[in-house]
Amino acid sequence: MSDGEAIETFRDLLKRMERALGENIVTLMTLKTLACMLHTNGEFGKAIKIYEKCLAGRTKVLGEDHRQTLDTLNNLGAALNMANVYVKGFHDHGKASELYERSLEGLEAHLGKNQERTKKRAFNFSTLLRISKSEERLESLEKAHQWLCDDEAIRLFKESLS
């Protein structure tokens, strides 16, 4: 089965599940899987729309601080970040940055600052901020690096931006 066929199969499955079950944890997981498939396939615009739908659903069903909701924030931020890099004329670093930061703060509240998953998310956030190369993002970059580095590493990184 090709990627396109798999995506169409998931779309069909999702439609049937939504009709039968409505918006619930299982349909939202299927929705997230479809968004991930599109994201992986490089269809960032479509993935972003589905991640946004999934985020709205998970926020409604699970709450904004639930780990699955936080993971969707992260995935949406990643899709926006990829669109910023690979889609000509797409520039939305601010929204991607905001989503990564919200996701990171929520994950830290759940797991703690020193947990490996929190550090990985902080690394993703710092990567986005480096790509955006925006002065107003320096404070956020500092915050992301506090999850990863000591003060000396932060100072050296700031110097490297100058």
Coordinates of all heavy atoms in Angstrom, one line a residue, residues 59-117:
T59 N -8.4 19.5 23.5 CA -8.6 20.5 24.5 C -10.1 20.4 25.1 O -10.2 20.4 26.3 CB -8.4 21.9 24.0 OG1 -7.1 21.9 23.4 CG2 -8.6 23.0 25.0
K60 N -11.0 20.2 24.2 CA -12.4 20.0 24.7 C -12.7 18.8 25.5 O -13.3 18.8 26.5 CB -13.3 20.1 23.4 CG -14.8 19.9 23.7 CD -15.6 19.9 22.4 CE -17.0 19.5 22.6 NZ -17.7 19.3 21.3
V61 N -12.2 17.6 25.0 CA -12.4 16.3 25.6 C -11.5 16.1 26.8 O -12.0 15.5 27.8 CB -12.3 15.2 24.5 CG1 -12.4 13.8 25.2 CG2 -13.4 15.3 23.5
L62 N -10.3 16.4 26.7 CA -9.3 16.0 27.7 C -8.8 17.2 28.6 O -8.3 17.0 29.7 CB -8.0 15.4 27.1 CG -8.3 14.2 26.2 CD1 -7.0 13.8 25.5 CD2 -8.7 13.0 27.1
G63 N -9.0 18.4 28.1 CA -8.5 19.6 28.9 C -7.2 20.1 28.3 O -6.4 19.3 27.7
E64 N -6.9 21.3 28.5 CA -5.7 21.9 27.9 C -4.4 21.5 28.5 O -3.3 21.6 27.9 CB -5.7 23.4 27.9 CG -5.7 24.1 29.2 CD -5.8 25.6 29.1 OE1 -6.4 26.1 28.1 OE2 -5.3 26.3 30.1
D65 N -4.4 20.9 29.7 CA -3.2 20.5 30.4 C -2.9 19.0 30.3 O -1.9 18.5 30.9 CB -3.2 20.9 31.9 CG -3.1 22.4 32.0 OD1 -2.4 23.1 31.2 OD2 -3.7 23.0 32.9
H66 N -3.8 18.2 29.6 CA -3.6 16.8 29.5 C -2.4 16.5 28.6 O -2.1 17.3 27.6 CB -4.9 16.2 28.9 CG -4.9 14.7 28.9 ND1 -4.2 13.9 28.0 CD2 -5.5 13.8 29.8 CE1 -4.4 12.6 28.3 NE2 -5.2 12.6 29.4
R67 N -1.6 15.5 28.9 CA -0.4 15.2 28.1 C -0.7 14.9 26.7 O 0.1 15.3 25.8 CB 0.3 14.0 28.7 CG 1.1 14.5 30.0 CD 1.9 13.4 30.6 NE 2.8 12.7 29.7 CZ 3.4 11.6 30.1 NH1 3.4 11.2 31.3 NH2 4.2 11.0 29.2
Q68 N -1.8 14.3 26.3 CA -2.1 14.1 24.9 C -2.4 15.5 24.2 O -2.0 15.7 23.0 CB -3.3 13.2 24.7 CG -3.0 11.8 25.0 CD -4.1 10.8 24.8 OE1 -5.1 11.2 24.1 NE2 -4.1 9.6 25.3
T69 N -3.0 16.4 24.9 CA -3.2 17.7 24.3 C -1.8 18.4 24.2 O -1.6 19.1 23.1 CB -4.1 18.6 25.3 OG1 -5.3 17.8 25.5 CG2 -4.4 19.9 24.7
L70 N -1.0 18.3 25.2 CA 0.4 18.9 25.1 C 1.2 18.3 23.9 O 1.9 19.0 23.2 CB 1.1 18.7 26.4 CG 0.5 19.4 27.6 CD1 1.2 19.0 28.9 CD2 0.5 20.9 27.5
D71 N 1.0 17.0 23.7 CA 1.7 16.4 22.6 C 1.2 16.9 21.3 O 2.0 17.1 20.3 CB 1.5 14.8 22.7 CG 2.4 14.2 23.8 OD1 3.3 14.8 24.3 OD2 2.1 13.0 24.1
T72 N -0.1 17.2 21.2 CA -0.6 17.7 20.0 C -0.1 19.1 19.7 O 0.1 19.5 18.6 CB -2.2 17.7 20.0 OG1 -2.6 16.3 20.3 CG2 -2.8 18.1 18.7
L73 N 0.0 19.9 20.8 CA 0.6 21.3 20.7 C 2.0 21.1 20.1 O 2.4 21.9 19.2 CB 0.7 21.9 22.0 CG -0.5 22.6 22.6 CD1 -0.2 23.0 24.1 CD2 -0.8 23.8 21.9
N74 N 2.8 20.2 20.6 CA 4.1 20.0 20.1 C 4.1 19.5 18.6 O 4.9 20.1 17.8 CB 4.8 18.9 21.0 CG 6.3 18.7 20.6 OD1 7.1 19.6 20.8 ND2 6.6 17.6 20.0
N75 N 3.2 18.6 18.3 CA 3.2 18.1 16.9 C 2.8 19.2 15.9 O 3.3 19.4 14.8 CB 2.2 17.0 16.8 CG 2.7 15.7 17.5 OD1 3.8 15.6 17.9 ND2 1.8 14.8 17.7
L76 N 1.8 20.1 16.3 CA 1.4 21.2 15.5 C 2.5 22.2 15.4 O 2.8 22.7 14.3 CB 0.2 21.9 16.1 CG -0.4 23.1 15.4 CD1 -0.7 22.9 14.0 CD2 -1.6 23.6 16.2
G77 N 3.3 22.5 16.5 CA 4.4 23.3 16.4 C 5.5 22.8 15.4 O 6.1 23.5 14.6
A78 N 5.7 21.5 15.5 CA 6.7 20.8 14.6 C 6.2 20.9 13.1 O 7.1 21.2 12.2 CB 6.8 19.3 15.0
A79 N 4.9 20.7 12.8 CA 4.5 20.9 11.5 C 4.6 22.3 11.0 O 5.0 22.5 9.8 CB 3.0 20.4 11.4
L80 N 4.3 23.3 11.8 CA 4.5 24.7 11.4 C 6.0 25.0 11.2 O 6.3 25.7 10.2 CB 3.9 25.6 12.5 CG 2.4 25.7 12.6 CD1 2.0 26.3 13.9 CD2 1.9 26.5 11.4
N81 N 6.8 24.4 12.0 CA 8.2 24.6 11.9 C 8.7 24.0 10.6 O 9.5 24.7 9.8 CB 9.0 23.9 13.1 CG 10.4 24.3 13.1 OD1 10.9 25.3 12.6 ND2 11.2 23.4 13.6
M82 N 8.3 22.8 10.2 CA 8.7 22.2 8.9 C 8.1 23.0 7.8 O 8.8 23.2 6.8 CB 8.2 20.8 8.9 CG 8.8 19.8 9.9 SD 10.6 19.7 9.8 CE 10.7 18.7 8.4
A83 N 6.9 23.5 7.9 CA 6.4 24.4 6.8 C 7.2 25.6 6.7 O 7.5 26.1 5.5 CB 4.9 24.7 7.1
N84 N 7.7 26.2 7.8 CA 8.5 27.4 7.7 C 9.8 27.1 7.0 O 10.3 27.9 6.3 CB 8.9 27.9 9.1 CG 7.8 28.6 9.8 OD1 7.0 29.3 9.2 ND2 7.6 28.4 11.1
V85 N 10.4 25.9 7.1 CA 11.6 25.5 6.5 C 11.4 25.1 5.0 O 12.2 25.6 4.2 CB 12.3 24.4 7.3 CG1 13.5 23.9 6.6 CG2 12.7 24.8 8.7
Y86 N 10.4 24.4 4.7 CA 10.3 23.7 3.4 C 9.3 24.3 2.5 O 9.3 24.0 1.3 CB 10.0 22.2 3.6 CG 11.2 21.5 4.2 CD1 11.1 21.0 5.5 CD2 12.4 21.3 3.5 CE1 12.2 20.4 6.1 CE2 13.4 20.7 4.1 CZ 13.3 20.2 5.4 OH 14.4 19.5 5.9
V87 N 8.3 25.1 3.0 CA 7.3 25.6 2.1 C 7.6 27.1 1.8 O 7.6 27.9 2.6 CB 5.9 25.5 2.7 CG1 4.8 26.1 1.8 CG2 5.6 24.0 3.0
K88 N 7.9 27.4 0.5 CA 8.2 28.7 0.1 C 7.1 29.7 0.4 O 5.9 29.4 0.1 CB 8.5 28.7 -1.5 CG 9.0 30.0 -2.0 CD 9.4 29.9 -3.4 CE 10.0 31.3 -3.8 NZ 10.5 31.2 -5.2
G89 N 7.5 30.8 1.0 CA 6.5 31.8 1.3 C 5.8 31.6 2.6 O 4.9 32.4 3.0
F90 N 6.0 30.5 3.3 CA 5.4 30.2 4.6 C 6.2 30.7 5.7 O 7.4 30.3 5.9 CB 5.1 28.7 4.8 CG 4.2 28.3 5.9 CD1 2.9 28.2 5.7 CD2 4.7 28.2 7.2 CE1 2.0 27.9 6.8 CE2 3.9 27.9 8.3 CZ 2.5 27.7 8.0
H91 N 5.7 31.6 6.5 CA 6.5 32.2 7.6 C 5.6 32.4 8.8 O 4.9 33.3 8.9 CB 7.1 33.6 7.2 CG 8.0 33.5 6.0 ND1 9.3 32.9 6.1 CD2 7.8 33.9 4.8 CE1 9.8 32.9 4.9 NE2 9.0 33.5 4.1
D92 N 5.6 31.4 9.7 CA 4.8 31.5 10.9 C 5.6 31.0 12.1 O 5.2 30.2 12.9 CB 3.5 30.7 10.8 CG 2.5 31.2 11.7 OD1 2.8 32.0 12.7 OD2 1.3 30.8 11.6
H93 N 6.8 31.5 12.3 CA 7.7 31.1 13.4 C 7.1 31.4 14.7 O 7.2 30.7 15.7 CB 9.1 31.7 13.3 CG 9.9 31.3 12.2 ND1 10.4 30.0 12.1 CD2 10.2 31.9 11.0 CE1 11.1 29.8 11.0 NE2 11.0 31.0 10.3
G94 N 6.3 32.6 14.8 CA 5.8 33.0 16.1 C 4.8 32.0 16.6 O 4.8 31.7 17.8
K95 N 3.9 31.5 15.8 CA 2.9 30.5 16.2 C 3.6 29.2 16.6 O 3.2 28.6 17.7 CB 1.8 30.3 15.2 CG 0.7 29.4 15.7 CD -0.4 29.3 14.7 CE -1.5 28.4 15.3 NZ -2.6 28.2 14.3
A96 N 4.5 28.8 15.8 CA 5.2 27.5 16.2 C 6.0 27.7 17.5 O 5.9 26.8 18.4 CB 6.2 27.2 15.1
S97 N 6.6 28.8 17.7 CA 7.3 29.1 18.9 C 6.3 29.1 20.1 O 6.6 28.5 21.2 CB 8.0 30.4 18.8 OG 8.6 30.8 20.1
E98 N 5.2 29.7 20.0 CA 4.2 29.8 21.1 C 3.7 28.4 21.4 O 3.6 28.0 22.6 CB 3.0 30.6 20.6 CG 1.9 30.7 21.6 CD 0.6 31.3 21.0 OE1 0.8 32.2 20.2 OE2 -0.5 30.9 21.4
L99 N 3.5 27.5 20.4 CA 3.0 26.2 20.7 C 4.0 25.3 21.4 O 3.7 24.6 22.3 CB 2.5 25.5 19.4 CG 1.3 26.2 18.7 CD1 1.1 25.6 17.3 CD2 0.1 26.0 19.5
Y100 N 5.3 25.4 20.9 CA 6.4 24.7 21.5 C 6.5 25.1 23.0 O 6.7 24.3 23.9 CB 7.7 24.9 20.8 CG 8.0 24.0 19.7 CD1 8.5 24.5 18.5 CD2 7.9 22.6 19.8 CE1 8.8 23.6 17.4 CE2 8.2 21.7 18.8 CZ 8.7 22.2 17.6 OH 9.0 21.4 16.6
E101 N 6.5 26.4 23.2 CA 6.7 26.9 24.6 C 5.5 26.4 25.5 O 5.8 26.0 26.6 CB 6.8 28.4 24.6 CG 7.2 28.9 26.0 CD 7.6 30.4 25.9 OE1 7.5 31.0 24.8 OE2 8.1 30.9 27.0
R102 N 4.3 26.5 25.1 CA 3.2 26.0 25.9 C 3.3 24.6 26.2 O 3.0 24.1 27.3 CB 1.8 26.3 25.2 CG 1.4 27.8 25.3 CD 0.2 28.2 24.5 NE -0.9 27.2 24.5 CZ -1.8 27.1 23.6 NH1 -1.7 27.8 22.5 NH2 -2.8 26.2 23.7
S103 N 3.7 23.8 25.1 CA 3.8 22.4 25.3 C 4.9 22.0 26.3 O 4.8 21.2 27.1 CB 4.1 21.7 23.9 OG 4.5 20.4 24.0
L104 N 6.0 22.7 26.2 CA 7.2 22.5 27.0 C 6.9 22.8 28.5 O 7.2 22.1 29.4 CB 8.4 23.4 26.5 CG 9.7 23.3 27.3 CD1 10.2 21.8 27.3 CD2 10.7 24.2 26.6
E105 N 6.2 24.0 28.7 CA 5.8 24.4 30.1 C 4.9 23.3 30.7 O 5.0 23.0 31.9 CB 5.2 25.7 30.1 CG 6.2 26.8 29.8 CD 5.6 28.2 29.6 OE1 4.4 28.3 29.5 OE2 6.4 29.2 29.6
G106 N 3.9 22.9 29.9 CA 3.0 21.9 30.4 C 3.7 20.5 30.7 O 3.4 19.9 31.7
L107 N 4.6 20.1 29.8 CA 5.3 18.9 30.0 C 6.2 19.0 31.3 O 6.3 18.0 32.1 CB 6.1 18.5 28.8 CG 6.6 17.1 28.7 CD1 5.4 16.1 28.7 CD2 7.5 16.9 27.5
E108 N 6.8 20.1 31.5 CA 7.6 20.3 32.7 C 6.8 20.2 33.9 O 7.2 19.5 34.9 CB 8.4 21.6 32.7 CG 9.2 21.8 33.9 CD 9.8 23.2 34.1 OE1 9.3 24.1 33.5 OE2 10.7 23.3 34.9
A109 N 5.6 20.7 33.9 CA 4.7 20.6 35.0 C 4.3 19.2 35.3 O 4.2 18.8 36.5 CB 3.4 21.5 34.8
H110 N 4.2 18.4 34.3 CA 3.8 16.9 34.5 C 5.0 16.1 34.8 O 4.9 15.2 35.7 CB 3.2 16.4 33.2 CG 1.7 16.7 33.0 ND1 0.7 16.1 33.7 CD2 1.2 17.6 32.2 CE1 -0.4 16.7 33.3 NE2 -0.2 17.6 32.4
L111 N 6.1 16.3 34.2 CA 7.2 15.3 34.3 C 8.4 15.9 35.0 O 9.2 15.1 35.5 CB 7.7 14.9 32.9 CG 6.6 14.2 32.0 CD1 7.2 13.9 30.6 CD2 6.1 12.9 32.7
G112 N 8.5 17.2 35.1 CA 9.7 17.8 35.7 C 10.7 18.2 34.6 O 10.7 17.8 33.5
K113 N 11.6 19.1 35.1 CA 12.5 19.8 34.2 C 13.6 18.8 33.7 O 14.1 18.9 32.5 CB 13.1 20.9 34.9 CG 14.2 21.7 34.2 CD 14.6 22.9 35.0 CE 15.8 23.6 34.4 NZ 16.2 24.8 35.2
N114 N 14.0 17.9 34.5 CA 15.1 17.0 34.2 C 14.8 15.7 33.5 O 15.6 14.9 33.2 CB 16.0 16.8 35.4 CG 16.6 18.0 35.9 OD1 17.1 18.8 35.1 ND2 16.6 18.2 37.2
Q115 N 13.5 15.5 33.2 CA 13.1 14.3 32.5 C 13.5 14.3 31.1 O 13.5 15.3 30.4 CB 11.6 14.1 32.7 CG 11.1 12.7 32.6 CD 10.8 12.2 31.2 OE1 10.7 13.0 30.3 NE2 10.6 10.9 31.1
E116 N 13.9 13.2 30.5 CA 14.4 13.1 29.2 C 13.4 13.7 28.1 O 13.8 14.4 27.2 CB 14.8 11.7 28.8 CG 15.7 11.5 27.6 CD 17.0 12.3 27.7 OE1 17.6 12.3 28.8 OE2 17.4 12.8 26.7
R117 N 12.2 13.3 28.3 CA 11.2 13.8 27.3 C 11.0 15.3 27.3 O 10.9 16.0 26.3 CB 9.8 13.2 27.6 CG 8.8 13.3 26.6 CD 7.7 12.4 26.8 NE 6.6 12.7 25.9 CZ 5.3 12.3 26.1 NH1 5.0 11.5 27.1 NH2 4.4 12.7 25.3

